[in-house]
């Protein structure tokens, strides 16, 4: 039986990809960007767009605002378009807050309507226009997954078509576990409709197998749970009273560095559980957007990194400032920190004390496997050097860790290694753990990073709080047009090192962006 089929919905708006490990529903590869300043041309926004994928077309769009312009941007794939929506919507460009949304969603907006309030609470800019920034996450029993998907994906396709939400069933995650996660993307009303349909399928399956009543389990980041509970439990009590449901929250002791989500369990009738989900999700989304606004001034320190990565690791990342004050003159959203598609890979070398290797690997490799699974990065620790093993009087002090992944994956993997070293007490005296990191750049870019008389690198060190070392003399290009690469050495606490990495990569990407696709460059935004 084929594991992958492609089906076009009646409205020609969604493509269904059925895979063995998940069910995904993606919209088109075209996005609408509005709110652009009138003088902006394609050359100005191309570096921002290219970090998410290859732009195929740039077409002017109509807008009712005479002070701004709008464009349709077509990417190579729906996934790239979705990443651009997630990463760019709400960003500021030369004093204007731009809006990025799916093009077909905007085209049908008048006919379908835009549910107000809902999950976003109507407070933040963009409101319902940012449906995928904060998805609805559910937890269901593993023996319910088959019924939710249906024969050859028939049930999940029907749920998606009826609710107009995208539903991902994470079948292969946590193999052998009793429960599986489901992620639902869409505007608030569509997510609630999909959730309700899933509950109906689960209840039917429970009736057929004599399992009794079902419950709704919502997954939420630990940093958001306090605002669901409210002071003295007032918020959660109000939701229970208004929806006639019973709601409990799992213990904070159940979370760890690799699982920062807690479970909100709702019991009641299907209709009432759906009402409770709508109110809970509205509060979660509002809290998430408030945290994003708090993080916005800090995100200037990490160009090319979505704030969600900062919120997805560690304690207190939501609203907790890093140990330095970002300068207000820095641009809010710099050019992409990497070349190519948004999921293109970066390589970073991290050096850890040799006696910390055991803790990072964990019993039978359990800890490093968790780092890889949680971060979605490749993490490899180099073996001991042969010559050092033969010199007991001069043992090897450090081991090289090679990390390959996207900017978000780099952040998570490096954070988890940093956190483990802190837990194990690998401090520099009374200071926090200092990471030693190396990234490789083209030798032709070294002068740009150093700046005239070392001005740029000194400013980077001042702003980020990290120590940055580069060779003072640029290497000459290699033979046959091959360019040498130069290693940039960065030392400092976690936040400082992350900021330095992102800023240096952004400088390199900005320098190499204009000539990347000169031959197939789309027309300028402004005619």
């Amino acid at each position: 039986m084929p594991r992958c089929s492609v089906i076009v919905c009646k409205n020609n708006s969604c493509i269904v990809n059925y895979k063995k490990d998940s069910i995904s529903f993606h919209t088109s590869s075209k996005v609408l960007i509005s709110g652009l300043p009138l003088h902006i041309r394609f050359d100005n926004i191309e570096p921002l767009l290219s970090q998410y994928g290859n732009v195929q077309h740039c077409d002017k769009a109509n807008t009712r605002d005479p002070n701004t312009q709008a464009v349709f941007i077509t990417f190579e794939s729906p996934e790239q378009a979705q990443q651009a929506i997630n990463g760019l919507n709400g960003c500021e460009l030369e004093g204007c807050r731009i809006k990025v949304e799916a093009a077909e969603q905007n085209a049908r907006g008048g006919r379908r309507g835009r549910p107000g309030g809902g999950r976003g609470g109507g407070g933040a800019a963009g409101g319902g226009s940012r449906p995928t920034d904060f998805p609805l996450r559910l937890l269901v029993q593993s023996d319910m997954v088959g019924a939710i998907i249906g024969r050859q994906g028939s049930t999940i396709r029907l749920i998606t078509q009826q609710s107009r939400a995208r539903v991902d069933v994470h079948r292969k995650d946590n193999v052998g576990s009793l429960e599986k996660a489901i992620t639902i993307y869409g505007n608030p009303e569509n997510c609630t409709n999909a959730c309700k349909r899933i509950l109906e399928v689960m209840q039917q399956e429970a009736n057929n197998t004599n399992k009794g009543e079902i419950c709704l389990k919502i997954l939420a980041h630990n940093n958001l749970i306090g605002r669901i509970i409210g002071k003295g439990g007032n918020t959660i009590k109000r939701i229970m009273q208004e929806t006639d449901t019973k709601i409990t929250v799992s213990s904070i002791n159940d979370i760890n560095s690799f699982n920062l989500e807690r479970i909100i369990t709702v019991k009641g009738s299907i209709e009432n559980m759906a009402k409770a989900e709508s109110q809970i999700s509205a509060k979660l989304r509002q809290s998430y957007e408030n945290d994003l606004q708090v993080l916005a001034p800090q995100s200037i320190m990490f160009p090319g990194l979505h704030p969600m990565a900062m919120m997805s690791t560690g304690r207190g990342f939501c609203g907790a400032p890093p140990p330095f004050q970002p300068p207000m003159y820095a641009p809010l959203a710099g050019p992409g920190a990497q070349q190519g598609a948004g999921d293109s890979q970066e390589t970073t070398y991290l050096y850890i004390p040799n006696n910390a290797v055991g803790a990072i690997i964990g019993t039978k490799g359990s800890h490093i496997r968790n780092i890889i699974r949680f971060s979605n990065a490749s993490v490899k620790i180099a073996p001991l050097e042969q010559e050092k093993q033969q010199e007991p009087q001069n043992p090897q002090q450090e081991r090289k860790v090679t990390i390959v992944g996207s900017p978000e994956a780099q952040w998570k993997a490096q954070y988890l290694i940093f956190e483990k070293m802190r837990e194990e007490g690998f401090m520099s005296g009374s200071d926090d753990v200092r990471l030693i990191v190396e990234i490789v750049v083209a030798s032709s870019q070294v002068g740009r990073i150093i700046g005239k008389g070392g001005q740029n690198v000194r400013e980077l060190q001042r702003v980020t709080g990290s120590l940055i070392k580069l060779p003072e003399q640029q290497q000459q290009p290699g033979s046959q047009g091959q360019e040498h690469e130069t290693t940039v050495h960065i030392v400092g606490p976690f936040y400082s090192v992350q900021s330095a990495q992102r800023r240096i990569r952004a400088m390199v990407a900005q320098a190499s962006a204009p000539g990347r696709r000169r031959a197939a460059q789309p027309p300028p935004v402004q005619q």
Side-chain angles (χ1 to χ4, degrees), residues 106-153:
N106 176 270
R108 294 192 305 269
R111 179 162 55 88
R112 288 170 56 189
R114 301 179 72 97
R119 192 158 298 162
S129 67
R130 302 177 63 181
T132 55
D133 266 6
F134 191 81
L136 169 62
R137 298 258 297 157
L138 306 180
L139 198 64
V140 302
Q141 293 182 4
S142 296
D143 54 11
M144 289 287 180
V145 169
I148 293 170
I149 293 174
R151 185 176 179 83
Q152 295 186 350

Side-chain angles (χ1 to χ4, degrees), residues 470-492:
L470 298 98
E472 295 196 8
Q473 297 295 327
Q474 299 182 46
Q475 300 182 36
Q476 296 300 317
S479 60
Q480 298 180 353
Q482 294 182 348
E483 187 174 32
H484 282 299
E485 292 182 326
T486 298
T487 298
V488 182
H489 190 79
I490 307 169
V491 181

Side-chain angles (χ1 to χ4, degrees), residues 341-410:
D343 59 352
S344 63
Q345 306 292 284
E346 299 174 350
T347 300
T348 304
Y349 304 104
L350 184 66
Y351 292 85
I352 61 175
N354 189 49
N355 55 355
V357 170
I360 300 298
I361 294 175
T363 306
K364 297 181 179 180
S366 59
H367 193 78
I368 196 167
R369 281 198 301 270
N370 279 333
I371 293 175
I372 293 169
R373 179 178 60 83
F374 181 82
S375 67
N376 200 29
S378 167
V379 182
K380 295 181 180 179
I381 301 177
L384 282 169
E385 298 175 10
Q386 290 292 332
E387 57 271 21
K388 291 292 185 181
Q389 295 184 46
Q390 298 170 6
E391 300 179 16
Q393 71 280 5
N394 186 26
Q396 184 175 341
Q397 299 296 318
E398 294 178 333
R399 297 277 282 278
K400 184 178 183 179
V401 182
T402 303
I403 303 173
V404 181
S406 66
E408 290 74 18
Q410 290 284 349

Side-chain angles (χ1 to χ4, degrees), residues 490-510:
I490 307 169
V491 181
F494 175 77
Y495 288 103
S496 299
V497 167
Q498 294 304 310
S499 181
Q501 289 179 64
R502 299 263 53 89
R503 283 173 169 263
I504 290 171
R505 291 191 188 275
M507 290 173 69
V508 172
Q510 185 179 27

Side-chain angles (χ1 to χ4, degrees), residues 218-222 225-226 229 249-255 259-264:
I218 302 172
L219 293 171
H221 195 288
N222 179 58
I225 288 294
I229 297 173
V249 179
S250 63
S251 170
I252 193 171
N253 296 325
D254 295 338
I255 68 170
N259 178 25
L260 295 168
E261 290 179 309
R262 289 167 69 180
I263 304 171
I264 304 170

Side-chain angles (χ1 to χ4, degrees), residues 180-292:
K180 300 292 184 183
I182 295 178
T183 307
I184 304 175
Y185 303 86
N187 67 39
E189 183 178 310
N190 294 352
C191 285
T192 296
N193 289 338
C195 174
K196 186 177 179 181
R197 286 290 294 117
I198 289 172
L199 290 173
E200 291 170 352
V201 172
M202 290 170 58
Q203 186 61 68
Q204 182 64 46
E205 179 69 9
N207 294 341
N208 295 340
T209 54
N210 298 317
K211 290 185 178 178
E213 296 297 319
I214 61 166
C215 64
L216 169 65
K217 291 186 177 182
I218 302 172
L219 293 171
H221 195 288
N222 179 58
N223 289 341
L224 305 175
I225 288 294
R227 282 159 284 188
I228 283 293
I229 297 173
K231 187 175 181 180
N234 289 337
T235 303
I236 201 168
K237 289 176 183 175
R238 175 181 56 77
I239 295 174
M240 286 193 287
Q241 291 173 356
E242 293 179 357
T243 62
D244 192 21
T245 56
K246 181 180 179 181
I247 304 174
T248 56
V249 179
S250 63
S251 170
I252 193 171
N253 296 325
D254 295 338
I255 68 170
N256 55 54
S257 295
F258 304 105
N259 178 25
L260 295 168
E261 290 179 309
R262 289 167 69 180
I263 304 171
I264 304 170
T265 303
V266 184
K267 295 182 178 180
S269 68
I270 290 178
E271 189 71 30
N272 290 343
M273 285 192 290
K275 291 179 181 177
E277 179 278 320
S278 180
Q279 292 197 29
I280 291 169
S281 293
K283 186 66 177 177
L284 288 173
R285 180 181 285 268
Q286 182 183 43
S287 302
Y288 167 78
E289 290 178 344
N290 290 343
D291 287 343
L292 278 183

